[in-house]
Amino acid sequence: MKLTKKILFIFCFAISSAMIFSSFKNSKIEFVQPKGFPKPLYDLSKNPLTDAGFKLGRKLFYDPILSKDSSTSCNSCHLQYSGFTHIDHALSHGIHGLKGNRNSPVLVNLAWSKFFMLDGGVTNLELQPLGPITNPVEMDENMAHVVMKLNRSHYYRSHFGVVFGDSVVTGQHVLKALAQFLVMLESYNSKFDKVMRGEESFSAEEENGFRFFKKNCAACHINQTFTDGAFHNIGLTYDAELKDVGRMKITKDKRDSLKFKTPTLRNIAASYPYMHDGRFKTLEEVIDFYAEDKSKNEIVDKSLKRKIIFKNNDKKNLLTFLKTLTDKEFLYDLKFRDWVNE
Ligand code: HEC
Ligand code: HEC
């Protein structure tokens, strides 16, 4: 009798576990190719997206276990409601309260990025997290130790097993899981998108702002991703304290001095402060900067050498247009939240 009960119990346990795992594995997460966007550069066929893989990446993104003293998670510097950046300070703060030397960028539409980091120092989304994990002023960890800690956790061992069929967690799969979460951070439902799809229309101010933008800004912030993915010197003064030379740090080519990657402008109203060092607190300050005469700057990008002329309501209109790039569905999307142990 006792033995039958035991067998019955084991049987029920196996069936219910299989049911939980199969519902967990069911793929509900889908990468969308938004209308008007170019083809993504990230090759999803090499890391097929699943619901379980996305959730595992999300769990890792929010877990401070990736840092040396369990104080800092990816989310510490990349908060959803600001477009996955931080907004209360210019330069990022990492482990032990240490200050980095750059403003954290938004994490939006990364599937379309060829280069990562503001100087393009990384060219593969799957390798990108190694930077912050090992950076002494960010998470100050090493991958071998992260993997050891994850292998001690029953939760991670079983979930990596479900997603990748691993019997132990591996560094490569930690990076693949994180990439599944990162690649899903797609923003394509701002007012701008809805207008482009014919679902809504611009106000007269927004329309005028858009016209001004297309004439003066879209050489680099090209739609629909609002970036050309290239590096430009837009004429910001060199900060002698931070000594950040931008792209030149990677290429060692003098011609790349003070060039930074064109950031996307999606969710720009939510992601202040601005520029690689967060020097501007408001969009008004950014617009005033673009209105300055840069013709005497020898190394500024040629498209900015000719002074941008702002007349009448141009500044106000441009600002109103930039605000149409805010995508509340993305900023408050529940699937990107921290769902403990799901
Ligand atoms: C201490 C703050 C901090 C932490 C923690 C942090 N980041 Fe970042 N992140 C930044 C900063 C600052 C940059 C820009 C770095 C640069 O250009 O040198 C960045 C850049 C990135 C980029 C490149 C974006 C682009 O468009 O080029 C990605 C992707 C990213 N981080 C993901 C992550 C992930 C995943 C984690 C967790 C493993 C993480 N970050 C942890 C501050 C942080
Ligand atoms: C020559 C290319 C180019 C042109 C033209 C250009 N930008 Fe930029 N923009 C950039 C680059 C590169 C950066 C990043 C600079 C940095 O971080 O140091 C940037 C940064 C910005 C930022 C801050 C983004 C952030 O997340 O910090 C805003 C806002 C912005 N540009 C708006 C505009 C507007 C509005 C115009 C037109 C008036 C314009 N840009 C024209 C290349 C350009």
Side-chain angles (χ1 to χ4, degrees):
M1 183 62 193
K2 243 182 161 182
L3 190 68
T4 349
K5 252 190 178 171
K6 233 182 195 168
I7 291 172
L8 195 68
F9 174 76
I10 291 171
F11 181 70
C12 291
F13 180 75
I15 294 274
S16 58
S17 310
M19 275 167 69
I20 292 169
F21 278 148
S22 73
S23 73
F24 191 70
K25 239 187 146 173
N26 260 346
S27 186
K28 280 182 266 134
I29 289 295
E30 231 181 299
F31 183 82
V32 173
Q33 170 66 40
K35 202 173 162 194
F37 274 56
K39 260 181 72 176
L41 297 169
Y42 184 75
D43 186 355
L44 281 161
S45 71
K46 298 212 172 92
N47 185 16
L49 268 175
T50 58
D51 201 36
F54 165 81
K55 285 179 179 165
L56 183 57
R58 180 177 67 193
K59 168 85 178 153
L60 289 165
F61 187 86
Y62 284 99
D63 197 339
I65 197 172
L66 300 188
S67 67
K68 191 174 192 172
D69 62 356
S70 283
S71 66
T72 313
S73 68
C74 307
N75 175 63
S76 304
C77 302
H78 297 288
L79 294 122
Q80 179 179 4
Y81 61 84
S82 61
F84 288 96
T85 175
H86 55 60
I87 54 170
D88 53 338
H89 42 274
L91 301 170
S92 67
H93 291 186
I95 195 165
H96 317 311
L98 289 170
K99 238 188 195 181
N101 68 342
R102 284 187 181 153
N103 178 20
S104 95
V106 293
L107 304 183
V108 167
N109 298 337
L110 295 168
W112 286 271
S113 294
K114 185 168 171 201
F115 294 102
F116 301 92
M117 312 290 262
L118 308 176
D119 51 23
V122 176
T123 52
N124 182 341
L125 182 58
E126 286 173 25
L127 297 181
Q128 166 65 37
L130 280 175
I133 290 173
T134 57
N135 189 326
V137 300
E138 294 191 334
M139 301 168 110
D140 196 23
E141 247 303 6
N142 67 70
M143 207 53 188
H145 197 237
V146 166
V147 167
M148 197 183 87
K149 286 190 288 184
L150 295 177
N151 270 309
R152 273 197 227 130
S153 145
H154 173 70
Y155 175 90
Y156 279 118
R157 275 200 322 276
S158 65
H159 285 70
F160 272 94
V162 170
V163 177
F164 298 108
D166 291 343
S167 52
V168 290
V169 178
T170 66
Q172 196 201 7
H173 286 162
V174 170
L175 297 173
K176 285 220 183 275
L178 273 169
Q180 291 207 15
F181 177 70
L182 294 174
V183 86
M184 279 300 295
L185 301 175
E186 294 185 83
S187 176
Y188 54 89
N189 279 318
S190 62
K191 176 161 188 189
F192 167 79
D193 297 293
K194 291 179 181 171
V195 173
M196 292 301 117
R197 296 199 292 257
E199 298 160 14
E200 285 183 30
S201 43
F202 278 143
S203 68
E205 267 190 359
E206 289 165 350
E207 183 71 53
N208 288 334
F210 185 35
R211 203 168 305 132
F212 186 90
F213 182 87
K214 280 194 283 192
K215 183 160 170 242
N216 298 293
C217 318
C220 305
H221 299 286
I222 49 175
N223 50 40
Q224 313 278 336
T225 55
F226 287 89
T227 167
D228 57 359
F231 304 88
H232 302 278
N233 176 343
I234 59 169
L236 292 166
T237 48
Y238 174 66
D239 184 327
E241 216 174 291
L242 290 173
K243 298 188 174 60
D244 194 346
V245 291
R247 182 69 177 152
M248 191 173 100
K249 193 175 152 207
I250 307 300
T251 62
K252 315 283 180 231
D253 183 339
K254 267 196 169 144
R255 285 169 301 181
D256 287 334
S257 177
L258 303 182
K259 285 187 183 174
F260 289 88
K261 188 176 75 167
T262 310
T264 177
L265 299 182
R266 287 186 170 274
N267 300 300
I268 193 71
S271 64
Y272 55 94
Y274 303 107
M275 304 303 173
H276 63 275
D277 52 7
R279 68 177 68 186
F280 298 132
K281 288 193 182 62
T282 64
L283 281 175
E284 283 86 345
E285 283 175 56
V286 174
I287 293 175
D288 286 343
F289 161 76
Y290 276 111
E292 285 168 15
D293 184 1
K294 300 181 177 60
S295 58
K296 293 202 177 64
N297 185 329
E298 304 264 298
I299 54 170
V300 75
D301 196 277
K302 60 179 185 311
S303 64
L304 290 168
K305 263 213 173 281
R306 209 176 50 210
K307 190 172 185 314
I308 300 177
I309 309 288
F310 287 84
K311 284 192 277 195
N312 307 326
N313 291 327
D314 284 343
K315 283 190 178 176
K316 205 162 140 246
N317 293 342
L318 178 59
L319 182 64
T320 318
F321 165 71
L322 291 175
K323 288 184 180 164
T324 70
L325 300 174
T326 304
D327 176 357
K328 292 216 171 98
E329 289 171 43
F330 171 77
L331 298 178
Y332 301 106
D333 191 333
L334 290 176
K335 75 170 173 290
F336 300 136
R337 293 266 172 95
D338 180 13
W339 295 100
V340 181
N341 287 353
E342 206 209 347

